[in-house]
Amino acid sequence: MFVTRGREWLARLAPALLGAGLAALALGPALGWGLVLRYDLLFVPSAPLLPDRGGFPRAVPSDLVVALLSRVLPVEIVQKGFLVAIFMLAASGAAALVPPERRLARLVAAACYAWNLYLAQRLMLGQWALLLGVAGLPWAVRAAGRGPARLLLALIPAAIGGFQAMLVSALTLLPVAVARRRTLVTAGVLVLLSLPWAIPALGSGAVTDPAGVDAFAARADGPFGALGSLLSLGGIWSADAGLPGQETWWTATARLLLVAAGLYGYARLRSERPEWWGGLAVAAAGGFCVAALGAFPAGRAALRWLITLWPGFGPLRDGQVYLAPLALLVAVGLAGVLRSGASAVVGILAPVLVLPTLAFGAFGRLAAVTYPPDWVAVQRIVNGDPAPGALLSLPWGAHRSFAWNGGRIVLDPATKLFERRVLWDDTLYVGLPDGGRLRVRGEAPLNRRAGDLLAAGDYARLPARYVLMPASQNGFLLVQAGWKTIFRGKELHLLRR
């Protein structure tokens, strides 16, 4: 009896264990001691509970959750926990949508949903909060229609993830809720969990640059054009999110064949009548259409017009993010085709075989590092000052490339390090496959004002109490304008009025 129960527990835990194994394979050196810093994957030591970055509250409430957890555990452990949880949650959730008696098929769904191009590209942009919500998506689909308490619990990962994770969840769950006649309850839960970011967004005064439509439009990252890239769960707007070899003919063809098999398998599931079948199909089709809008001039023109009417349409610029329900549909569909025996084993291995360069930290693109002591020293000085006033971060740009971080690009750590308002250039420059860049102007009006004063050389009127800059950067003009050095180390130079 005990042996039988042990086997049953192992079968139940197998998808989560597979997710943990895939996490170890994908993260590799990133699991070493330290923090992984790449684009939006920015964690800082002793993070304040409510950092003030201005603009749209993209990191709400994820920054608060990280700061609270970091009061109990080292921030390095907190970050590793979230990254591993993405893979484990995705794998176990996709498996939960497959009947429990199909044990190998459950592992097929787990592997496909926890290892695909969508997840890989978003991870390369450091969008861990979004991926946390996407990982919890199958659990939310399973909970839809089973009462508000279960749905509320299932949506906690998306609620932590913030606005993008909740929008993807809404796109996926509302069609499922309509089919199950639970629309009002589902919509109410979604609205409730969106309040932490929706309320500050309405009062932020953030603006949306229509030029972002072209910058965030889906792009070809393989030989089959933008639509073929989207169908293979890729097509992200940033050239910096790509993996080595993803654009080759054989890998792109293999990914498309895997998706085709998943679509075929999902169509066959209709005869089994899972309660979420039609809703997930509608969500996947709708998400693909939103993503495909940016691939056509007429679609981009329509999006620019909508954003001009109301900035709230801004999240539609990054249409590729809404491929998440399609990724889930494909994973469950593959489990429907590859149910047992050798075919199931092939299905478990296939996602890794068609996207091998996600392994080992995407071949070194992800690695753990530690902050130099200067960052903590500056943080203590600024946070210990009771006088009001913002901190302005230089050089004037959103991202940094530090030698101690292996030259990897990351969002300016100053934006999350201090308890006071941080003025920074939230203008985004999007790298294109041809080597060019598109400029999307920042959202926060006060940041724009500071940028205009810097451009005019009017350092005396900067609306800040502190200026933080690299130690290697010349601060002579600031000193001439009345700023005084209060800290200068090997890495950082801090000035104050």
Side-chain angles (χ1 to χ4, degrees):
M1 181 177 66
F2 292 106
V3 174
T4 302
R5 288 184 178 179
R7 289 177 178 175
E8 290 178 355
W9 275 105
L10 182 60
R12 291 181 182 180
L13 293 175
L17 294 175
L18 176 60
L22 293 175
L25 180 61
L27 298 174
L31 292 176
W33 187 256
L35 292 169
V36 185
L37 305 176
R38 181 179 172 90
Y39 287 96
D40 291 348
L41 187 56
L42 173 63
F43 284 61
V44 298
S46 304
L49 293 180
L50 297 171
D52 187 355
R53 298 169 59 191
F56 191 89
R58 284 180 170 78
V60 175
S62 56
D63 277 351
L64 176 60
V65 173
V66 169
L68 288 172
L69 291 176
S70 300
R71 299 296 193 271
V72 181
L73 297 170
V75 67
E76 293 85 355
I77 299 298
V78 173
Q79 187 192 60
K80 303 295 187 298
F82 276 122
L83 292 177
V84 173
I86 289 169
F87 289 86
M88 295 182 67
L89 198 61
S92 58
L97 295 181
V98 179
E101 63 272 13
R102 298 175 184 169
R103 294 180 177 180
L104 286 177
R106 285 162 61 88
L107 295 180
V108 172
C112 186
Y113 194 56
W115 192 291
N116 56 67
L117 189 56
Y118 177 92
L119 182 148
Q121 291 184 337
R122 293 290 165 175
L123 184 60
M124 289 302 98
L125 287 183
Q127 296 179 348
W128 69 272
L130 163 68
L131 289 178
L132 187 66
V134 170
L137 199 57
W139 290 106
V141 169
R142 191 169 181 261
R146 298 190 178 187
R150 288 192 177 186
L151 182 59
L152 192 71
L153 183 64
L155 279 172
I156 287 177
I160 294 173
F163 91 101
Q164 273 192 322
M166 288 302 299
L167 290 177
V168 169
S169 298
L171 167 69
T172 308
L173 294 180
L174 288 177
V176 175
V178 169
R180 302 184 68 180
R181 300 179 181 179
R182 303 286 292 182
T183 308
L184 289 179
V185 171
T186 302
V189 173
L190 288 167
V191 169
L192 177 65
L193 294 179
S194 297
L195 292 178
W197 59 265
I199 291 175
L202 292 174
S204 67
V207 295
T208 303
D209 188 351
V213 171
D214 293 311
F216 295 123
R219 304 189 187 282
D221 51 26
F224 300 112
L227 291 182
S229 297
L230 290 172
L231 193 57
S232 65
L233 306 181
I236 199 168
W237 44 270
S238 174
D240 299 321
L243 295 177
Q246 72 173 31
E247 73 285 350
T248 62
W249 277 92
W250 80 269
T251 56
T253 302
R255 290 197 304 271
L256 280 176
L257 289 175
L258 206 62
V259 170
L263 294 175
Y264 170 73
Y266 195 82
R268 290 180 58 187
L269 286 180
R270 185 177 183 180
S271 61
E272 300 179 8
R273 298 187 181 279
E275 51 199 6
W276 38 261
W277 187 91
L280 183 56
V282 170
F288 183 85
C289 290
V290 172
L293 276 177
F296 301 99
R300 294 194 294 273
L303 286 175
R304 283 193 292 269
W305 177 73
L306 288 173
I307 291 171
T308 302
L309 287 179
W310 182 48
F313 287 111
L316 295 179
R317 298 179 302 178
D318 186 2
Q320 195 264 358
V321 77
Y322 301 104
L323 290 181
L326 177 60
L328 180 57
L329 182 150
V330 169
V332 176
L334 274 174
V337 175
L338 309 172
R339 299 186 178 188
S340 61
S343 64
V345 174
V346 171
I348 296 169
L349 297 175
V352 178
L353 294 177
V354 303
L355 195 63
T357 52
L358 176 57
F360 309 116
F363 280 36
R365 283 164 173 75
L366 301 175
V369 299
T370 57
Y371 280 90
D374 282 10
W375 289 92
V376 176
V378 166
Q379 182 189 47
R380 289 174 178 169
I381 293 172
V382 175
N383 289 350
D385 182 2
L391 178 142
L392 184 141
S393 183
L394 296 176
W396 196 240
H399 293 87
R400 303 287 187 263
S401 177
F402 301 112
W404 52 266
N405 191 32
R408 300 175 188 88
I409 298 174
V410 66
L411 187 68
D412 181 5
T415 61
K416 295 190 178 185
L417 202 65
F418 303 106
E419 295 174 355
R420 63 183 66 227
R421 173 67 186 270
V422 175
L423 305 180
W424 58 296
D425 183 11
D426 53 346
T427 300
L428 181 64
Y429 294 90
V430 178
L432 303 178
D434 60 4
R437 294 199 305 172
L438 285 177
R439 179 178 181 268
V440 183
R441 197 174 184 193
E443 298 170 334
L446 188 57
N447 290 352
R448 289 188 176 190
R449 180 189 167 202
D452 292 340
L453 290 172
L454 286 170
D458 193 353
Y459 303 111
R461 295 176 57 200
L462 290 173
R465 175 169 173 80
Y466 289 97
V467 171
L468 180 66
M469 59 196 302
S472 59
Q473 187 172 346
N474 191 340
F476 175 76
L477 294 178
L478 287 166
V479 173
Q480 289 290 97
W483 295 84
K484 297 179 180 180
T485 296
I486 61 170
F487 176 87
R488 186 159 197 160
K490 294 181 179 180
E491 297 284 339
L492 297 175
H493 183 190
L494 181 67
L495 302 99
R496 187 177 64 197
R497 286 196 193 277

